[in-house]
Amino acid sequence: MSPTDTNTDSIAERLQQAMRMHQSGRLEDADRLYGDVLNDDPAHAKALRLRGILARERGDLTLSFDCLNQAVEHAPDDAEPLCEMALSHMAIGDLNMAEGALRAALELNDTST
């Protein structure tokens, strides 16, 4: 096993642990672990998306949009970050932007099937 494989395993394990903490309401611990994953892999789209969701849940819409925009950038073929972006837009009452994000997500789903 190479050092890269060990780092990948560590990232996957930390992401799973962060997700468990997030689901159980331990948001500060989950956010710290999402941040640790992103320190090791700043382009980890799933960690970015999940941290964006957590930020929205905590009311930090600036961080939510930042994370979700990066997730979209690093995973342009994944509709999930766009759907989460739409929810963040809804949270601030920007329904036009939410609609645009959902339409973009639908387009991705239409072209990926």
Side-chain angles (χ1 to χ4, degrees):
M1 183 179 283
S2 75
T4 305
D5 293 336
T6 303
N7 189 40
T8 302
D9 289 344
S10 177
I11 287 172
E13 290 168 5
R14 283 181 287 157
L15 186 61
Q16 287 297 316
Q17 185 178 9
M19 291 166 55
R20 284 190 299 273
M21 289 177 174
H22 190 165
Q23 291 172 340
S24 69
R26 295 176 53 194
L27 301 184
E28 287 183 30
D29 293 329
D31 187 52
R32 180 184 48 78
L33 279 174
Y34 290 141
D36 288 348
V37 168
L38 292 168
N39 283 335
D40 286 345
D41 183 0
H44 197 292
K46 186 172 184 176
L48 286 163
R49 179 176 55 83
L50 293 170
R51 194 175 201 195
I53 293 168
L54 186 145
R56 182 180 62 237
E57 291 171 353
R58 295 174 78 182
D60 187 346
L61 278 296
T62 300
L63 179 59
S64 179
F65 283 117
D66 182 49
C67 291
L68 294 170
N69 278 321
Q70 289 180 60
V72 169
E73 178 183 319
H74 293 297
D77 297 330
D78 186 357
E80 286 186 67
L82 288 165
C83 292
E84 294 300 337
M85 182 78 72
L87 291 173
S88 291
H89 282 296
M90 284 186 227
I92 62 169
D94 192 342
L95 300 183
N96 288 328
M97 290 297 288
E99 179 185 11
L102 289 172
R103 288 185 185 279
L106 285 171
E107 279 184 36
L108 280 178
N109 281 341
D110 285 347
T111 60
S112 67
T113 56

